[in-house]
Amino acid sequence: MIRFFIIAGLAYLCYRVLKPIAGQHGFGKVSSSERGTGKIDDVMIKDPYCEAYFPKRNGVHYRHNGEDLYFCSEKCRAGFIERKKQS
Ligand SMILES: [Zn+2]
């Protein structure tokens, strides 16, 4: 019975030592997933023309060969269309 208490005590100590580490990992996961859901509306995407990153919601939409493309400005969209015409 004494051995049981020693094992229980050791297990409790391990739990106390490991819990903050596990807790930190858990918190990391939670905050990153929260950031992920918050980003759905405000995701950063790359302008295929000037290769700058900008929030998708500010993008200029253009549908090209059934593909949704977003540009940082109408100027870039016009430039992209122009380049596609040439090639
Ligand atoms: Zn651009």
Side-chain angles (χ1 to χ4, degrees):
M1 203 60 196
I2 291 160
R3 234 163 69 182
F4 169 79
F5 279 112
I6 291 165
I7 291 161
L10 282 171
Y12 178 71
L13 273 174
C14 285
Y15 170 77
R16 285 292 297 264
V17 169
L18 293 173
K19 199 194 171 190
I21 299 161
Q24 272 175 1
H25 276 281
F27 269 116
K29 272 180 195 165
V30 167
S31 63
S32 70
S33 68
E34 272 178 0
R35 250 180 276 138
T37 53
K39 260 189 171 178
I40 285 172
D41 214 18
D42 200 25
V43 67
M44 295 296 280
I45 52 165
K46 194 176 172 185
D47 184 317
Y49 183 72
C50 72
E51 300 193 336
Y53 283 88
F54 61 95
K56 191 177 179 179
R57 61 162 73 162
N58 296 343
V60 181
H61 177 249
Y62 176 61
R63 202 161 171 85
H64 174 71
N65 291 342
E67 211 184 326
D68 286 312
L69 298 171
Y70 292 89
F71 299 89
C72 69
S73 66
E74 285 189 36
K75 214 172 141 185
C76 283
R77 185 176 67 174
F80 180 84
I81 294 163
E82 207 56 44
R83 197 166 65 183
K84 283 285 161 194
K85 275 183 197 165
Q86 283 164 16
S87 61

